[in-house]
Amino acid sequence: MEIDLKAFAERSRYRPASAALFVMSYIALAGIFAGVPSWLCFLIAAAAWIALATITLHRLRDSGLSGAWILLMILKFGVGPDWHLSDYVTMDIGGSILACVPIILGWIFPAKHNGSYSSSAN
């Protein structure tokens, strides 16, 4: 079964998919408090975050923005307070907010105009 991730480049499809993946990644990390092994929570959250970065890249390209915004999602910035989920998993609150900037841009910016206006005035 093949999934076409370019279909999420449309803003109407990107918004619910990005929200679902974002929430899924943080619920997976919160599973540590429920006794789920930290490695399993990390794998689920990492898979969701990779899928979110992929559809965000397609969305940013569709809106005419640079794909370099994805670096904010990939690189880790240790800004702000830390939240220690377990001995092995630590989340930086400020770094998480910076990682959301490309997602917010994908929600806001409309699709790039392709330049083909059709004149209906004759």
Side-chain angles (χ1 to χ4, degrees), residues 42-54:
F42 174 76
L43 287 178
I44 294 169
W49 201 253
I50 289 170
L52 181 59
T54 304

Side-chain angles (χ1 to χ4, degrees), residues 2 4 17 23-24 37 46 51 68-69 84 87 91 102 107 115:
E2 191 173 319
D4 184 22
V23 168
M24 184 176 123
W69 284 101
H84 299 283
D87 294 337
M91 190 172 90
W107 273 58

Side-chain angles (χ1 to χ4, degrees), residues 7-112:
F8 293 104
E10 298 174 13
R11 190 167 45 170
S12 63
R13 291 185 180 178
Y14 173 75
R15 285 180 177 174
S18 64
L21 287 170
F22 184 81
V23 168
M24 184 176 123
S25 67
Y26 283 99
I27 287 176
L29 289 177
I32 293 172
F33 295 120
V36 180
S38 59
W39 62 269
L40 181 61
C41 293
F42 174 76
L43 287 178
I44 294 169
W49 201 253
I50 289 170
L52 181 59
T54 304
I55 67 171
T56 301
L57 178 64
H58 291 298
R59 173 70 194 114
L60 292 177
R61 286 184 179 169
D62 183 57
S63 64
L65 295 173
S66 173
W69 284 101
I70 295 297
L71 290 177
L72 288 176
M73 293 179 75
I74 297 171
L75 299 177
K76 178 166 177 357
F77 297 98
V79 180
D82 294 340
W83 182 24
H84 299 283
L85 298 172
S86 73
D87 294 337
Y88 304 106
V89 179
T90 301
M91 190 172 90
D92 296 316
I93 306 299
S96 297
I97 292 171
L98 282 175
C100 291
V101 170
I103 300 167
I104 294 168
L105 291 175
W107 273 58
I108 294 173
F109 281 90
K112 178 176 58 174

